[in-house]
Amino acid sequence: MAWLKFPVSLPKMRVTLSSLDTCESSFTPLVVIELAQDVKEETKEWLKSRIIAKKKDGGAQLLFRPLLNKYEKETIENQNLYLVGASNIRLLLGAEAVGLVKECTDAAMRAFTYGTRHNFKGFHDNNDDFLTMAECQFIIKHELENLRAKDEKMIPGYPQAKLYPGKSLMRRLLTSGIVTQVFPLHDTEALKKLEDTWYTRFALKYQPIDSIRGYFGETIALYFGFLEYFTFALIPMAIIGLPYYLFVWEDYDKYVIFASFNLIWSTVILEVWKRGCANMTYRWGTLVMKRQFEEPRPGFHGVLGINSVTGREEPLYSSYKRQLRIYLVSLPFVCLCLYFSLYVMMIYFDLEVWALGLHEDNESVWTGLLLYMPSIVYAIVIEVMNRLYRYAAEFLTSWENHRLESAYQNHLILKVLVFNFLNCFASLFYIAFVLKDMKLLRQSLATLLITSQILNQVVESLLPYWLQRKYFLKVKRKVQALKVDIDTTLYEKVLLEKEMGTYLGTFDDYLELFLQFGYVSLFSCVYPLAATFAVLNNFTEVNSDALKMCRVFKRPFAEPSASIGVWQLAFETMSVISVVTNCALIGMSPQVNAVFPESKTDLVLIVVAVEHALLALKFILAFAIPDKPRHIQMKLARLEFESLEALKQQQMKMVAENLKEESQEDGKKAP
């Protein structure tokens, strides 16, 4: 993919950041910065100077120019759009700074360094595709986000936008409304090739995961890899569940077999996924990527100091203070919200009982309509609670002041995940274990699963795509109506992409799969057909999500990832909960109760014993299946050994130099 055309060639001599030129008038644009329409000229000049300034002077040392030149601004409507790029050498030095890992000529994965660039596979002095476009955009995002205030007290032209040493400039500009958005540009040619192999031709085939990773980065590639893997893993459950539904088997012993298989299945697929994930991320280099290379997130604030691990200047904040905020404020708040959610649910069921009793005592049209009111009110309250809690969770997680973006995301996901789990499954648990109405449970589960799948397909992809197409046609007509003699291709491209929706991350996509996993595993012995509906949904989900990424949303910045993060723990926790729920449901069945007509204590003891045995089996399977394949473990051990050897050689070299200096000083002192 020859998308990157830089006039700078790679010299053989040692290159430093201070020697790079940031005044090239023509470069390939990678990132777009949009400013508000009324931004003052002194602010624009200050921002430009900080972006192109040398690293030693606190700048990003990137290439920067307006989308429209002086003549074009007079001819076309000025959108206050600016393009950011970088020279090839600057990107390579940036790759070293962020700790990108690449494959060497000996097939080992090592952190890229500019000094040893010729040892890496696929690198040549005139090579312009050693770094993918996604990696280059990630480097530029990293540099922009790490522009931090030094001596400035405010943003020039905006006295109300205060600054202090260590504050992220880009974050302050965004929160002050001076910068409206920063986004990476699509590569039209590469996107078309990706679409042709991904979703434009509907067929049952594997997704081009490596191509998705090259274009969108590891985080999104891992999501689509997990979606594909999870879909194929559901097929055995769907095949086995069909006879239970079609032949309406009610014998508990048959459901015991199905539920036991479900529990073993849920453990095995999650352990096998970890092995496959390790294979992929090692090949991509993110499994080897060191955590200390992850820079502080833009919202992280503290006193500017020196990181004791990396030796770099960055904001410092006490982890003790962060822990106090988490355990004394955030945790009690989450617990309070969970209690309030349960309280609202109990009010809903009380209203259902009240409405049903009123209708039975006095049947009329009005009381018949009243039966639907509790569900409508509860649905509205749940939606309001979800939105309010999401805002509160984001505020609290930001207030906790996590240094790394990954830590911020993990804490946010855990907060929101617990609340969503309670909202989606609390009513089902109440029906199953309080009302003990299996028919109602099966009906409610089927309704929730099918309705949520249909709504997600329409709301997430089809509706936004239709609205986006209407806007595209409007912009194209507007550009074609311009009577100008200049090339408007880039102008039209940027104008179209800047109005596309912003992809907010994989949270909602993983949440959908997580809830689906819950519907399939938690109550498998009640509704075996759940896996079949999940498989049918996921085959279309792959294509709708691909359409969403390519045509509905702006291109997101790539983010290196070594796993699906906290979602792995979430799925594993769900599989443990499913053991308890399925054992309890089978123990409550009439067939099982008929075996113990007099002694319910024996029944409870047997159910608990079976549940503990199945949990023990799950943990044994999880322990017996290694998280990483043997060959990956060997490669990682080899890299660790090489790092230790390099450290020893460096220490020996330092000792030798010290001894040499001491001998020279002794020689000077001798008469």
Side-chain angles (χ1 to χ4, degrees):
M1 182 176 65
W3 59 269
L4 197 53
K5 301 296 182 185
F6 291 109
V8 182
S9 61
L10 296 179
K12 301 289 184 180
M13 68 184 70
R14 177 178 174 79
V15 176
T16 61
L17 282 171
S18 59
S19 65
L20 294 180
D21 181 20
T22 57
C23 299
E24 297 180 36
S25 58
S26 177
F27 59 87
T28 301
L30 296 172
V31 174
V32 175
I33 297 177
E34 182 182 12
L35 304 182
Q37 288 298 320
D38 57 349
V39 173
K40 300 176 181 178
E41 286 300 321
E42 62 175 311
T43 310
K44 295 179 184 179
E45 290 301 318
W46 169 78
L47 177 60
K48 177 183 177 181
S49 66
R50 289 303 305 265
I51 291 177
I52 68 174
K54 297 185 182 300
K55 290 284 288 184
K56 66 178 183 179
D57 299 327
Q61 207 158 345
L62 300 173
L63 303 175
F64 182 87
R65 70 174 176 86
L67 173 63
L68 303 176
N69 60 35
K70 183 178 180 181
Y71 168 70
E72 291 170 341
K73 287 180 181 179
E74 297 172 355
T75 311
I76 306 176
E77 180 184 358
N78 183 21
Q79 297 286 337
N80 250 4
L81 296 164
Y82 294 83
L83 306 175
V84 183
S87 67
N88 203 1
I89 300 175
R90 178 68 185 90
L91 290 170
L92 292 172
L93 293 171
E96 178 179 351
V98 300
L100 287 186
V101 175
K102 291 287 188 177
E103 185 179 3
C104 292
T105 52
D106 62 355
M109 304 298 296
R110 295 187 179 89
F112 177 80
T113 60
Y114 187 81
T116 60
R117 60 193 183 280
H118 294 289
N119 296 335
F120 288 86
K121 186 177 180 180
F123 182 87
H124 303 289
D125 283 338
N126 296 320
N127 190 7
D128 56 9
D129 60 357
F130 176 70
L131 298 175
T132 66
M133 189 176 185
E135 288 172 335
C136 294
Q137 290 169 334
F138 168 69
I139 292 168
I140 290 180
K141 172 178 175 280
H142 166 269
E143 297 297 342
L144 290 175
E145 287 182 344
N146 282 278
L147 278 174
R148 297 188 179 272
K150 285 187 172 292
D151 301 325
E152 301 100 329
K153 301 297 183 184
M154 64 177 187
I155 294 175
Y158 294 86
Q160 72 279 10
K162 303 296 183 183
L163 294 173
Y164 57 85
K167 177 65 179 177
S168 170
L169 296 181
M170 196 55 64
R171 182 174 178 83
R172 173 58 73 199
L173 289 166
L174 286 166
T175 55
S176 301
I178 300 170
V179 172
T180 57
Q181 60 178 332
V182 180
F183 62 93
L185 281 171
H186 273 293
D187 180 352
T188 307
E189 182 182 346
L191 182 61
K192 184 66 171 65
K193 290 179 180 178
L194 178 61
E195 288 177 313
D196 289 340
T197 58
W198 194 2
Y199 73 92
T200 53
R201 300 170 186 173
F202 184 79
L204 297 178
K205 60 181 181 180
Y206 290 109
Q207 298 177 90
I209 299 298
D210 286 333
S211 299
I212 297 170
R213 175 255 172 181
Y215 193 85
F216 289 110
E218 290 80 12
T219 299
I220 291 174
L222 280 175
Y223 162 70
F224 280 100
F226 183 74
L227 172 60
E228 178 181 86
Y229 172 82
F230 182 58
T231 302
F232 282 106
L234 281 169
I235 292 176
M237 286 298 301
I239 294 173
I240 296 173
L242 276 172
Y244 283 87
Y245 181 80
L246 295 176
F247 298 108
V248 197
W249 288 342
E250 296 295 343
D251 295 337
Y252 77 93
D253 56 333
K254 295 184 176 64
Y255 279 105
V256 167
I257 296 171
F258 180 73
S260 300
F261 176 80
N262 189 328
L263 302 175
I264 296 172
W265 165 84
S266 63
T267 302
V268 171
I269 66 165
L270 293 175
E271 293 302 317
V272 173
W273 161 253
K274 284 194 280 190
R275 293 170 63 84
C277 181
N279 267 319
M280 281 192 298
T281 53
Y282 179 83
R283 188 172 69 249
W284 298 339
T286 51
L287 187 64
V288 187
M289 205 168 180
K290 299 298 183 184
R291 299 297 296 174
Q292 61 262 33
F293 282 113
E294 194 175 349
E295 295 287 343
R297 52 185 289 269
F300 178 65
H301 58 83
V303 181
L304 201 62
I306 303 298
N307 187 309
S308 58
V309 177
T310 63
R312 299 173 183 171
E313 190 177 48
E314 65 176 51
L316 302 177
Y317 186 79
S318 171
S319 60
Y320 176 72
K321 293 181 180 178
R322 185 182 302 114
Q323 296 300 318
L324 286 178
R325 291 185 174 190
I326 292 173
Y327 291 109
L328 296 184
V329 179
S330 296
L331 184 60
F333 176 80
V334 172
C335 293
L336 182 64
C337 289
L338 294 177
Y339 172 79
F340 183 72
S341 176
L342 289 173
Y343 184 74
V344 171
M345 185 195 72
M346 296 308 299
I347 293 176
Y348 157 67
F349 279 112
D350 289 341
L351 289 175
E352 285 279 12
V353 173
W354 171 77
L356 182 61
L358 188 65
H359 180 66
E360 290 175 349
D361 294 339
N362 184 22
E363 290 190 16
S364 66
V365 176
W366 294 108
T367 57
L369 292 174
L370 189 63
L371 288 174
Y372 297 97
M373 288 306 297
S375 297
I376 295 173
V377 172
Y378 184 60
I380 295 172
V381 170
I382 284 295
E383 185 63 28
V384 172
M385 286 171 59
N386 279 338
R387 292 183 179 276
L388 291 176
Y389 180 81
R390 181 69 176 265
Y391 292 135
E394 289 176 351
F395 172 80
L396 276 177
T397 310
S398 180
W399 177 72
E400 289 166 5
N401 198 26
H402 296 279
R403 177 181 177 271
L404 303 181
E405 182 65 27
S406 57
Y408 171 84
Q409 290 295 333
N410 288 343
H411 281 80
L412 176 62
I413 287 171
L414 282 175
K415 289 185 183 71
V416 179
L417 195 61
V418 170
F419 195 78
N420 275 267
F421 176 83
L422 206 69
N423 275 337
C424 291
F425 296 111
S427 60
L428 296 178
F429 277 100
Y430 187 83
I431 294 171
F433 299 111
V434 178
L435 301 181
K436 298 181 181 180
D437 189 341
M438 296 301 111
K439 184 178 179 180
L440 178 60
L441 177 62
R442 181 179 299 182
Q443 178 183 331
S444 300
L445 179 59
T447 303
L448 283 172
L449 177 63
I450 297 170
T451 305
S452 64
Q453 289 177 346
I454 294 173
L455 288 176
N456 284 330
Q457 294 283 358
V458 174
V459 174
E460 287 185 6
S461 300
L462 299 180
L463 181 61
Y465 179 71
W466 178 71
L467 295 173
Q468 199 66 42
R469 289 291 298 173
K470 289 186 66 176
Y471 175 77
F472 276 16
L473 293 174
K474 179 181 177 181
V475 171
K476 283 182 178 294
R477 286 195 296 266
K478 180 179 178 181
V479 173
Q480 290 170 357
L482 294 172
K483 304 298 183 180
V484 295
D485 297 327
I486 59 178
D487 185 10
T488 58
T489 305
L490 181 60
Y491 174 77
E492 179 183 345
K493 173 182 172 64
V494 174
L495 206 61
L496 287 172
E497 291 188 26
K498 86 180 186 70
E499 294 299 332
M500 295 173 78
T502 301
Y503 183 65
L504 300 177
T506 55
F507 177 85
D508 291 330
D509 298 315
Y510 276 119
L511 180 62
E512 186 179 344
L513 290 180
F514 173 77
L515 297 176
Q516 186 184 91
F517 182 69
Y519 290 133
V520 171
S521 61
L522 285 178
F523 307 100
S524 60
C525 61
V526 174
Y527 191 61
L529 203 60
T532 303
F533 283 112
V535 169
L536 295 175
N537 172 78
N538 288 0
F539 275 124
T540 58
E541 183 78 16
V542 169
N543 292 279
S544 62
D545 281 353
L547 173 71
K548 176 176 70 178
M549 295 304 306
C550 295
R551 293 296 172 185
V552 175
F553 291 120
K554 297 183 187 74
R555 183 179 189 174
F557 281 104
E559 290 292 342
S561 295
S563 67
I564 61 174
V566 73
W567 289 106
Q568 180 76 39
L569 176 63
F571 277 86
E572 290 173 353
T573 304
M574 180 73 83
S575 69
V576 171
I577 297 174
S578 69
V579 173
V580 180
T581 57
N582 280 279
C583 288
L585 288 172
I586 291 173
M588 290 166 54
S589 66
Q591 294 86 354
V592 175
N593 278 266
V595 179
F596 303 92
E598 298 179 356
S599 178
K600 298 300 180 184
T601 304
D602 292 342
L603 173 60
V604 172
L605 291 175
I606 290 175
V607 169
V608 171
V610 171
E611 174 252 328
H612 277 61
L614 289 172
L615 282 176
L617 178 61
K618 282 179 66 68
F619 291 126
I620 290 171
L621 285 172
F623 179 77
I625 303 174
D627 292 350
K628 300 179 181 68
R630 178 66 177 170
H631 69 281
I632 297 295
Q633 294 180 23
M634 294 296 293
K635 289 178 179 178
L636 293 175
R638 178 67 183 174
L639 289 175
E640 186 69 23
F641 173 76
E642 289 179 358
S643 298
L644 292 174
E645 288 297 307
L647 182 61
K648 288 179 182 178
Q649 291 179 6
Q650 185 179 5
Q651 290 175 342
M652 291 174 64
K653 184 178 179 181
M654 292 175 62
V655 170
E657 289 177 353
N658 290 335
L659 290 174
K660 184 177 179 181
E661 291 177 0
E662 290 176 3
S663 62
Q664 289 176 350
E665 290 178 0
D666 292 341
K668 291 178 181 178
K669 293 178 180 178

